[in-house]
């Protein structure tokens, strides 16, 4: 391609945007640099402020601590307040000397005077006076009258000791003397505000920054000039010692403000650059989109007229080449049918899933259009949904590689379709899960749809078994008329497959032929399972007969796989609960051996026959281990003979622990304890179980009255018998007899063994 006009057009269109981006990067750099400088200046000013505050606080705190130390150690000060008099000139001279020495040691101190409340006497380095005549009486009066307590350092005030000298700006501290007891007076120290200002001014250059200190009432501790007052404070802090507020700022305020303004200018400039870049990109895109619009127009025309030839790269520029390439792509995908077939299987599988789940589909006229293009079923005819499930799918996955599994699934799907064609039928097959193939069979034989299903799917089942060495089980739902009935037929097919466990695999299971309404007798099954678990706990051999009765009842009642698995789980739960009543060695045997063997027998079982065989073997093994434990226990034989005696003589109303104690030569308490350890049950509970069990049998098979049955099982009073029966069975004797009658009429005679 010699001519590169399209390339240069694109290049020059977006070059300004490139420069805008570079400029924006520089803007970000200078913006960050400016912001960092501003932060550093603020940080330095804040450090200066903290240093000044720390210096002043340290000086004031040192003065305060040293005065307190002197008040504790200086005997002259103590003597002044305790027993001093106005005429004790020697003591007063020594105190004046102390005051002068302290002022020399701490230059910030302007003056100190001592107030003795006992005789209203004041002593300073310059004078002595009565309290009421002293010029600073107004300041000290609130402290004497205890209106102010522990006020700390005051704000700035005017102190005038002699009118000839004029007032001075000071901050004061009044200390109670002695400060550990009720005060006998005060020691007042005045610190010069000007001296504080002089000490702080040496810490910074007033041409660069300033520090302004305000006391608690807002008065100026450190005065500032008019120029400084016009600046904006950038740092503030509150002293923890005095409570004063410290403010600081930069004296070159206009430059600092200029920098802030430049910050805003940079920000606005950056935003304008972004907007300019966006505007230019939009403009360039709109200008360059015009040839694309032309291409779209040509594509629309091409799809209608089918151009006869394509350019072969001999155009004037890249645009011509691009146009030629698009025309070639359109030619390759021109046919809607070919484009649709590329993903036909995905769309068809999704549509099949929607149909099975009853999701809203297209209108009838739209369905007819899809039926012609996707080769779908005619919904005007009856349909039957079948589900073909691969038997022993876990074994299937372990025996074959992933690729072989795909091939065998493809073969299964193909053979069903080919068999339907041979028999003149029409099927739609899609995989609904890893091990299940959904089949929508269109009924050509309206009179006998079951025959048509059998011909097609049974032939495919036999072919798969012979050639693929694989067995499948087919669940067939009822006949559906229209789309609305297909989800019900699909549910029926899945329900039919649940009976594979009891009917066996490698067959066709018709929902309408095999599935009957269940009798709702699960409570009776649970009772029988509970009885089996009790026989295990008591070491009775009759558990085998009860187990066979349970299996026989399941076969006759045609329970689904869900119910069978629930019963198996309940049997394991019941045995475990009974073992929990026993000693620790029985519990460990169940936890480490019995439970796991039953769970292994249940896993991988597809039919009731397999479940029965695995469970019976595991139960026999567990029962044998129980017998071995019982044989090794010292009193097992004795308790066994006690139980045999109770089984024979439970109808004796006088049967009790004392009677058995005399008969077997064991103390009643020992007998009760051994009975509980060996059977996991109290003596009274075991006796009640025997009597109620016999009563249930008499209620089921005889016409004896409740009073007669009560006497036959060891109860003298029929009322007591009825109360105990209802407590155990949750039904009264009469209600239980009616319930058994209804069960027998429903065809569950085996359950009367309960």
């Amino acid at each position: 391609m010699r001519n590169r006009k399209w390339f240069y057009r694109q290049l020059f269109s977006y070059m300004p945007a490139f420069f805008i981006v570079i400029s924006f990067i520089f803007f970000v750099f200078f913006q960050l640099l400016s912001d960092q400088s501003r932060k550093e200046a603020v940080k330095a000013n804040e450090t200066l402020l903290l240093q000044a505050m720390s210096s002043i606080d340290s000086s004031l705190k040192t003065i305060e601590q040293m005065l307190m130390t002197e008040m504790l150690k200086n005997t002259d000060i103590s003597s002044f307040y305790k027993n001093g008099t106005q005429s004790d000139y020697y003591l007063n001279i020594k105190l004046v000397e102390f005051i002068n020495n302290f002022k020399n040691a701490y230059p910030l101190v302007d003056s100190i005077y001592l107030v003795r409340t006992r005789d209203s006497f004041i002593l300073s380095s310059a004078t002595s006076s009565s309290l009421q005549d002293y010029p600073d009486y107004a300041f000290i009066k609130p402290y004497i009258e205890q209106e102010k307590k522990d006020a700390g350092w005051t704000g700035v005030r005017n102190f005038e000791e002699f009118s000839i000298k004029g007032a001075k700006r000071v901050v004061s501290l009044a200390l109670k003397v002695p400060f550990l007891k009720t005060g006998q007076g005060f020691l007042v120290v005045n610190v010069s505000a000007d001296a504080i200002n002089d000490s702080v001014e040496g810490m910074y250059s007033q041409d660069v920054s300033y520090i302004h200190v305000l006391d608690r009432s807002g008065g100026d501790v450190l005065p500032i000039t008019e120029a400084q007052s016009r600046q904006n404070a950038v740092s503030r802090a509150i002293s923890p010692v005095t409570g004063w507020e410290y403010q600081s700022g930069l004296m070159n305020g206009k430059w600092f403000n200029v920098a802030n303004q430049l910050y805003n200018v940079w920000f606005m400039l950056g935003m304008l650059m972004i907007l300019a870049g966006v505007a230019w990109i939009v403009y360039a895109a709109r200008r360059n989109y015009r040839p694309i619009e032309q291409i779209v127009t040509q594509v629309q025309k091409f799809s209608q007229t089918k151009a006869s030839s394509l350019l072969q790269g001999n155009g004037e520029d890249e645009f011509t080449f691009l146009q030629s390439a698009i025309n070639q792509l359109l030619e390759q995908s021109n046919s809607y049918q070919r484009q649709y077939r590329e993903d036909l299987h995905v769309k068809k599988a999704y549509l099949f899933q929607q149909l099975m789940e009853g999701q809203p589909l297209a209108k009838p006229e739209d369905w007819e259009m899809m039926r012609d293009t996707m080769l779908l079923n005619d919904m005007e005819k009856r349909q039957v949904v079948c589900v073909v499930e691969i038997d022993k799918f876990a074994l299937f996955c372990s025996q074959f590689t992933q690729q072989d599994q795909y091939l065998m699934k493809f073969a299964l799907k193909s053979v069903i379709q080919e068999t339907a064609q041979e028999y003149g039928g029409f099927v739609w097959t899609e995989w609904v899960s890893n091990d299940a193939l959904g089949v929508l069979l269109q009924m050509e034989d309206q009179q006998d749809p079951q025959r048509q299903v059998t011909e097609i799917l049974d032939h495919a089942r036999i072919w798969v078994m012979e050639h693929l060495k694989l067995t499948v089980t087919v669940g067939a739902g009822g006949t559906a008329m229209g789309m609305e009935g297909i989800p019900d037929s699909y549910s029926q097919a899945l329900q039919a497959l649940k009976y594979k466990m009891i009917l066996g695999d490698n067959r066709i299971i018709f929902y309408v032929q095999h599935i009957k309404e269940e009798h709702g007798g699960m409570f009776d099954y649970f009772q029988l399972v509970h009885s089996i678990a009790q026989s295990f706990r008591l070491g009775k051999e009759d558990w085998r007969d009860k187990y066979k009765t349970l299996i026989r009842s399941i076969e006759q009642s045609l329970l689904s796989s869900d119910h069978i698995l629930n019963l198996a789980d309940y049997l394991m739960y019941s045995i475990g609960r009974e073992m929990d009543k026993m000693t620790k060695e029985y519990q460990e045997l169940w936890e480490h051996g019995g439970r796991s063997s039953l769970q292994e027998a249940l896993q991988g079982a597809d039919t009731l026959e397999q479940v029965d065989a695995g469970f019976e073997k595991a139960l026999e093994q567990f029962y044998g281990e129980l017998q071995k434990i019982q044989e090794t226990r010292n009193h097992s034989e004795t308790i066994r003979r006690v139980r045999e005696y109770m089984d024979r003589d439970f109808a004796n109303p006088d049967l009790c622990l004392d009677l058995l104690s005399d008969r077997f030569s064991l103390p009643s308490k020992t007998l009760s304890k051994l009975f509980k350890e060996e059977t996991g049950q109290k003596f009274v509970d075991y006796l009640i179980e025997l009597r109620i069990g016999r009563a249930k049998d008499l209620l089921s098979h005889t016409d004896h009255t409740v009073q007669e049955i009560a006497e036959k099982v060891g109860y003298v009073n029929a009322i007591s018998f009825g109360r105990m029966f209802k407590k155990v069975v949750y039904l009264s004797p009469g209600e239980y007899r009616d319930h058994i009658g209804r069960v027998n009429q429903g065809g569950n005679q085996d359950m009367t063994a309960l």
Side-chain angles (χ1 to χ4, degrees):
M1 294 178 292
R2 299 176 182 178
N3 197 326
R4 300 171 63 85
K5 288 192 300 183
W6 182 256
F7 169 76
Y8 292 118
R9 181 185 299 178
Q10 293 288 335
L11 181 63
F12 289 115
S13 295
Y14 292 101
M15 188 63 71
F18 169 76
F19 287 112
I20 290 176
V21 171
I22 296 300
S23 301
F24 180 73
I25 292 174
F26 276 102
F27 151 71
V28 172
F29 170 75
F30 286 113
Q31 173 71 14
L32 293 176
L33 184 62
S34 174
D35 187 55
Q36 184 65 26
S37 299
R38 184 172 59 87
K39 290 180 179 178
E40 290 295 334
V42 172
K43 186 176 180 181
N45 189 265
E46 183 177 358
T47 302
L48 171 64
L49 179 70
L50 294 176
Q51 287 178 348
M53 182 178 69
S54 177
S55 176
I56 295 174
D57 288 352
S58 177
S59 298
L60 295 179
K61 200 167 184 180
T62 300
I63 293 172
E64 180 181 356
Q65 290 176 349
M66 291 307 299
L67 283 175
M68 294 176 67
T69 302
E70 289 294 334
M71 286 190 296
L72 289 173
K73 295 182 178 181
N74 196 319
T75 58
D76 295 334
I77 296 177
S78 299
S79 298
F80 176 80
Y81 286 102
K82 288 183 180 180
N83 47 24
T85 63
Q86 296 181 12
S87 59
D88 192 350
Y89 301 111
Y90 178 72
L91 177 61
N92 294 342
I93 291 173
K94 291 176 67 176
L95 290 175
V96 169
E97 183 181 359
F98 158 73
I99 293 173
N100 291 329
N101 291 336
F102 194 88
K103 289 168 59 178
N104 292 331
Y106 300 97
L108 293 180
V109 177
D110 175 75
S111 60
I112 298 175
Y113 63 86
L114 288 74
V115 180
R116 190 167 58 205
T117 57
R118 175 165 47 82
D119 55 356
S120 300
F121 178 69
I122 292 180
L123 176 67
S124 70
S125 61
T127 184
S128 62
S129 172
S130 64
L131 183 61
Q132 288 77 11
D133 297 333
Y134 192 65
D136 207 28
Y137 174 70
F139 170 74
I140 200 63
K141 180 180 178 182
Y143 291 94
I144 296 174
E145 296 176 352
Q146 296 187 357
E147 294 179 3
K148 290 186 178 181
K149 296 181 179 179
D150 300 327
W153 289 97
T154 67
V156 175
R157 69 186 187 92
N158 291 323
F159 173 70
E160 185 179 9
E161 192 171 24
F162 300 104
S163 59
I164 192 173
K165 291 184 177 181
K168 298 180 180 179
R169 297 175 65 253
V170 298
V171 293
S172 303
L173 175 66
L175 296 175
K176 182 177 63 175
V177 183
F179 59 85
L180 296 178
K181 299 179 181 179
T182 302
Q184 297 173 349
F186 293 90
L187 188 151
V188 178
V189 57
N190 297 315
V191 175
S192 173
D194 295 334
I196 294 176
N197 188 24
D198 293 340
S199 67
V200 173
E201 284 181 351
M203 300 175 63
Y204 65 95
S205 174
Q206 297 185 16
D207 296 332
V208 178
S209 59
Y210 72 93
I211 294 178
H212 186 197
V213 182
L214 301 174
D215 59 23
R216 296 178 181 177
S217 61
D220 292 333
V221 178
L222 298 185
I224 59 174
T225 64
E226 183 180 353
Q228 292 174 340
S229 63
R230 291 196 297 267
Q231 308 302 322
N232 295 325
V234 297
S235 301
R236 300 175 185 270
I238 302 296
S239 169
V241 176
T242 61
W244 299 344
E245 180 181 0
Y246 288 72
Q247 300 177 357
S248 68
L250 301 174
M251 278 306 297
N252 294 328
K254 62 179 183 179
W255 296 110
F256 187 75
N257 292 333
V258 167
N260 285 336
Q261 293 298 325
L262 286 177
Y263 173 84
N264 297 329
V265 169
W266 274 110
F267 180 78
M268 294 301 299
L269 183 61
M271 295 302 299
L272 290 176
M273 291 167 59
I274 294 174
L275 293 176
V278 172
W280 177 260
I281 291 175
V282 172
Y283 168 74
R286 289 178 61 87
R287 189 180 66 176
N288 294 333
Y289 185 69
R290 291 171 186 169
I292 297 178
E293 287 181 327
Q294 297 176 4
I295 294 175
V296 172
T297 302
Q298 292 179 4
V299 168
Q300 292 175 346
K301 293 180 180 179
F302 179 82
S303 62
Q304 299 173 1
T305 59
K306 294 185 179 181
S308 58
S309 62
L310 297 174
L311 297 174
Q312 301 298 326
N314 55 355
E316 297 180 356
D317 53 20
E318 295 91 344
F319 176 73
T320 305
F321 175 78
L322 179 62
Q323 182 181 9
S324 174
I326 292 177
N327 290 339
Q328 187 175 6
L329 290 175
L330 286 172
E331 179 64 24
Q332 294 175 354
S333 59
N334 182 56
S335 174
Y336 172 80
Q337 184 66 28
R338 281 182 294 171
Q339 181 182 3
Y340 185 78
R341 286 177 181 175
E342 290 178 359
D343 57 348
L344 178 62
H345 63 286
V346 177
K347 294 181 179 179
K348 201 171 180 181
Y350 178 69
L351 185 62
F352 187 87
Q353 194 72 27
Q354 286 183 303
L355 192 61
M356 295 299 110
E357 295 177 357
Q359 299 181 12
L361 298 177
K363 298 178 181 179
E365 54 271 19
D366 296 334
W367 177 267
E368 291 299 323
M369 183 182 301
M370 290 190 298
R371 188 169 71 87
D372 294 337
T373 56
M374 299 176 66
L375 302 177
L376 304 179
N377 294 40
D378 184 3
M379 290 302 165
E380 297 295 330
K381 297 182 180 181
R382 293 185 178 183
Q383 312 289 327
V384 171
V385 180
C386 302
V387 178
V388 182
E389 184 178 77
I390 300 175
D391 297 329
K392 300 179 180 64
F393 186 70
L395 182 62
F396 169 77
C397 293
S398 62
Q399 287 182 340
F400 301 100
T401 64
Q402 194 74 28
Q403 184 176 2
D404 291 341
Q405 293 176 32
Y406 286 138
L407 291 175
M408 298 184 75
K409 287 182 177 181
F410 175 77
L412 174 60
K413 185 176 180 180
S414 300
V415 73
I416 293 176
Q417 294 174 342
E418 293 173 1
T419 305
Q421 293 177 0
E422 292 178 5
Y423 284 90
F426 187 86
V427 295
W428 180 6
T429 58
E430 299 291 346
W431 287 97
V432 294
S433 66
N434 287 337
D435 62 341
L437 176 67
V439 179
L440 183 61
L441 181 58
Q442 183 174 300
M443 293 290 98
E444 305 296 341
D445 187 352
Q446 301 293 332
Q447 301 298 324
D448 191 2
Q450 184 173 326
R451 183 183 63 83
Q452 184 177 355
V453 172
T454 304
E455 286 179 350
I456 296 175
L457 295 182
D458 203 45
H459 182 276
R461 179 186 63 81
I462 296 173
W463 187 93
V464 168
M465 181 177 60
E466 293 177 351
H467 294 84
L468 300 181
K469 307 303 179 184
L470 187 69
T471 62
V472 295
T473 302
V474 182
T479 304
M481 188 64 188
M483 296 182 186
E484 295 78 9
I486 289 179
D488 292 336
S489 182
Y490 176 63
S491 299
Q492 293 171 0
L494 293 177
Q495 185 67 19
L497 278 176
K498 292 183 179 181
Y499 292 83
K500 179 175 74 171
M501 180 168 284
I502 192 168
L503 296 175
D505 54 12
N506 194 21
R507 65 175 64 232
I508 299 178
I509 304 175
F510 289 93
Y511 179 84
V512 295
Q513 179 180 354
H514 294 284
I515 312 308
K516 302 176 183 179
E517 182 180 0
E518 297 173 0
H519 297 293
M522 292 303 294
F523 175 76
D524 296 325
Y525 289 108
F526 290 151
Q527 288 279 56
L528 183 55
V529 167
H530 180 65
S531 178
I532 294 172
Q534 285 182 325
S535 296
F536 263 87
R537 174 173 55 81
L538 298 174
K540 293 184 177 181
E541 300 285 346
D542 62 348
W543 71 266
R544 296 183 179 87
D545 296 334
K546 295 177 181 178
Y547 177 76
K548 291 178 180 178
T549 300
L550 176 64
I551 297 299
R552 188 166 57 252
S553 299
I554 292 174
E555 292 174 344
Q556 294 176 355
S557 300
L558 200 64
L559 296 183
S560 67
S561 59
D562 292 341
H563 288 153
I564 295 174
L565 294 177
N566 288 339
L567 284 175
D569 289 338
Y570 185 68
L571 177 58
M572 288 188 286
Y573 165 76
S574 298
I575 295 177
R577 188 175 62 178
E578 294 297 327
M579 290 300 105
D580 287 341
K581 300 176 183 179
M582 306 291 284
T583 57
K584 185 176 180 180
E585 52 188 331
Y586 291 99
Q587 297 174 12
E588 292 179 349
L589 176 63
W590 168 250
E591 291 295 333
H592 299 132
R595 186 196 302 275
S596 58
S597 60
L598 289 176
Q599 290 175 342
E600 291 175 0
L602 190 60
Q603 293 176 352
D606 289 338
T607 64
L608 178 63
E609 182 179 357
Q610 295 172 351
V611 174
D612 178 22
F615 254 55
E616 186 174 14
K617 180 179 179 181
L619 290 174
E620 285 284 0
Q621 182 178 357
F622 178 62
Y623 183 76
E625 296 294 334
L626 287 177
Q627 293 298 310
K628 291 180 181 179
I629 293 178
Q630 291 178 353
E631 291 174 359
T632 59
R633 297 179 65 86
N634 296 332
H635 300 282
S636 288
E637 181 61 24
T638 302
I639 299 304
R640 185 186 62 78
R641 289 190 288 109
V642 170
R643 282 175 38 214
E644 290 176 353
Y645 181 83
M646 293 176 67
D647 292 344
R648 294 192 305 270
D649 204 29
F650 65 86
N652 181 7
D654 298 327
L655 183 61
C656 61
L657 271 175
D658 292 337
L659 188 149
L660 294 174
S661 175
D662 294 339
R663 183 173 184 84
F664 292 95
S665 302
L666 281 174
S668 57
K669 291 185 178 180
T670 303
L671 179 60
S672 175
K673 179 182 178 182
L674 293 176
F675 193 91
K676 179 68 168 61
E677 290 179 355
E678 293 298 324
T679 65
Q681 200 172 16
K682 295 180 180 179
F683 164 79
V684 175
D685 294 337
Y686 184 77
L687 181 59
I688 291 173
E689 183 180 288
L690 289 174
R691 288 174 173 175
I692 298 302
R694 177 56 179 164
K696 288 164 64 177
D697 185 60
L698 293 174
L699 287 169
S700 303
H701 298 90
T702 69
D703 295 330
H704 296 316
T705 65
V706 174
Q707 178 64 42
E708 292 173 344
I709 293 176
E711 294 175 355
K712 288 181 178 294
V713 297
Y715 287 92
V716 178
N717 190 334
I719 296 176
S720 300
F721 165 70
R723 187 183 300 112
M724 182 59 66
F725 190 91
K726 188 167 185 178
K727 180 180 179 181
V728 175
V729 185
Y730 302 106
L731 297 172
S732 66
E735 290 172 342
Y736 180 80
R737 175 171 276 170
D738 294 340
H739 168 72
I740 292 300
R742 290 194 300 271
V743 171
N744 290 340
Q745 292 177 2
N748 282 348
Q749 286 79 0
D750 285 332
M751 302 310 295
T752 59
L754 289 169

